[in-house]
Structures are given as C-alpha cells and as structure tokens.
Amino acid sequence: MTGPLENVKVVELGLWLAGPACAAILADWGAEVIKVEPPAGDPFRGYAYMFGGDDNPPFELDNRGKRSVAVDLRTPEGRQVGLDLVADADVFVTNYRPGGLERLGFDWPTLQRHNPRLVYASVTGYGLAGPDQDRASYDLGAYWSRAGVAAALTVDGQPLPYQRGGMGDHNAGLAAAGGISAALFARERSGRGQLVSTSLLREGLFTLSFDLSIGCRFGVGVQKADRRKMPNASINAYQDSEQRWF
C-alpha cells in the first residue's frame, strides 16, 4: 500500500509478537516487508490450533501486509539468501536474541559492514547490554512483571491482575517503528544507517514513567491505586444501584 514509507524495503527476522508487530506497522505505512522465517515457520503460527486450525487472527494481525520466505539461516546457502535480501534493504527488524544473531552472522556490526545504509532495529527483552542481554523473555515476564506494571495495578491484599496478550509487545513494536522512522530521517542527511533498539523492560518502565518521575524526584513511592481512596474523583470507577460499573 502507499504511504510515507513507500519504496522502503524492510527485512524482518522476527517471531511471536514484538518484532513482527513493528514490521507490520511499517507495512501499514507503505514499506515493502519481507518476513524471513525458519523452515518450520514462525512459532506464532501454531496458535491456529486454538481457532480450529484454519484461522489465526493474532498472527494475521501482526503479520499483515508482508511477504514471507522460509530460509534456514544455519546453513551456508540459507545465510547467503538472507544476506542477499539485506544487501539492498533499508531496514532490518529483529527480536531474536543478540547472541543468536551473532552466531548466525546477522548481528549489527556484521550487517552494518554488509550494508552501511541499513537501519538495524533490535527489540529485546532486557536491552543490548548487561547480564540479561541474551535472556529470553515474553512481555509477561519483562514488561508486565519485572518492570512492575502488574504490581503498580494491584491493590494491597488483592490478587495480581491478568495481562492480556501482546500488551507489552505491541508497545515495544510501536516504539521501534518510531525509532526506525527517526533513523531513516537521519539517514537522509548523513547517508548512513544506525542501530535502533528498545526492550520490553524499557517499555514497561516507560509505561510507569509517571510514577517513576515522582519517585526519582522526591525519593518516595507512589501510592497504589485504590478506588476507595482515590484523591482525584474524576479518574475513579463507580458502581451504580444496579451493580453496573462506569
């Protein structure tokens, strides 16, 4: 489809949600997206069994507007196919772990040498530095749990709330799409690509940045929300005489 990213070629090496969500947004904006999958396919395809084996709405949502090719990047022939796709690409999107990408030869330093104009977008669980850089994580672990989103939404003495599917993944994918757009704009001036990164943990912390900014400034924790003690009546929930909530 046409859009601001028309004629921008994107190669996605992604699975499950966060990386593919980013590439789907780029496709919405007009980019040509080629999804590179292993021979067995993106494991997210397996969700089809939940819907009778024929349809997979969540997978279709995050892989809309793309073309797909199955390539075994662990073989010399497959790796060359992948490198040929990247050679004239504008953007490379991945949410594979950094260590695995390095073993495959699809890490940032390698692909930068292969294509200096490439914008390389990495979406991870915990960032590209530190002891957890290669730790696998879904958004339930890094975004919802470790970043503290679940705890911040839990009233003392009550059970933890349940996270709906893909909440942190979609936030991270949207953030990566924004970073890619900025990097493409910068490339128009410099002629060179750059590394763009975000993580599920980082997006969880950004979700809580209202609380964190207060805590960092005043050194105190923010009181957890309790509808019985809300200081601002306009952001509370109420139950009417017929037991309906509004």
Side-chain angles (χ1 to χ4, degrees), residues 81-98:
V81 169
L83 290 176
D84 288 345
L85 287 171
V86 171
D88 64 345
D90 298 288
V91 179
F92 180 78
V93 177
T94 185
N95 62 327
Y96 279 41
R97 285 179 282 174

Side-chain angles (χ1 to χ4, degrees), residues 1 16 43 45-46 62 75 93 96 115 142-143 151 154 161 165 171 205 219 226 235:
M1 62 180 293
W16 291 106
R45 290 183 181 272
D62 288 310
T75 68
V93 177
Y96 279 41
N115 179 354
Y143 171 89
T154 303
N171 281 355
L205 294 173
D226 184 339
I235 58 171

Side-chain angles (χ1 to χ4, degrees), residues 31-63:
E32 174 197 6
V33 179
I34 301 172
K35 181 182 178 73
V36 178
E37 302 185 53
D42 182 337
F44 195 15
R45 290 183 181 272
Y47 262 41
Y49 84 92
M50 299 174 60
F51 309 102
D54 295 324
D55 296 312
N56 190 341
F59 178 83
E60 294 159 10
L61 169 69
D62 288 310
N63 291 282

Side-chain angles (χ1 to χ4, degrees), residues 18 21-22 123-124 143 167-177 198-200 203:
C22 169
V123 183
T124 61
Y143 171 89
M167 290 174 62
D169 289 311
H170 287 145
N171 281 355
L174 185 60
T198 191
S199 70
L200 296 170
E203 293 311 311

Side-chain angles (χ1 to χ4, degrees), residues 69-243:
V69 59
V71 180
D72 189 349
L73 297 176
R74 297 170 298 181
T75 68
E77 297 81 6
R79 182 174 182 273
Q80 189 58 54
V81 169
L83 290 176
D84 288 345
L85 287 171
V86 171
D88 64 345
D90 298 288
V91 179
F92 180 78
V93 177
T94 185
N95 62 327
Y96 279 41
R97 285 179 282 174
L101 290 163
E102 185 175 1
R103 289 190 295 272
L104 290 172
F106 283 81
D107 53 298
W108 159 240
T110 300
L111 293 192
Q112 183 189 32
R113 292 192 297 269
H114 189 64
N115 179 354
R117 286 179 53 82
L118 186 69
V119 172
Y120 186 110
S122 172
V123 183
T124 61
Y126 300 101
L128 293 177
D132 291 334
Q133 61 179 326
D134 274 319
R135 183 176 179 178
S137 182
Y138 294 106
D139 64 342
L140 185 65
Y143 171 89
W144 185 248
S145 177
R146 187 160 170 183
V149 177
L153 298 176
T154 303
V155 177
D156 289 340
Q158 298 297 314
L160 290 169
Y162 178 75
Q163 180 197 290
R164 301 306 304 167
M167 290 174 62
D169 289 311
H170 287 145
N171 281 355
L174 185 60
I180 288 167
S181 300
L184 288 172
F185 180 77
R187 193 184 70 177
E188 291 300 304
R189 298 177 172 180
S190 69
R192 297 189 61 83
Q194 61 180 282
L195 173 65
V196 175
S197 70
T198 191
S199 70
L200 296 170
L201 179 64
R202 178 177 292 181
E203 293 311 311
L205 294 173
F206 184 64
T207 298
L208 295 179
S209 56
F210 183 100
D211 295 6
L212 291 172
S213 65
I214 296 172
C216 290
R217 175 65 62 87
F218 299 113
V220 297
V222 177
Q223 181 180 348
K224 291 185 179 181
D226 184 339
R227 57 171 302 274
R228 297 165 299 181
K229 304 175 182 178
M230 291 295 287
N232 186 344
S234 66
I235 58 171
N236 205 350
Y238 301 92
Q239 194 174 30
D240 66 17
S241 60
E242 296 178 349
Q243 309 305 307

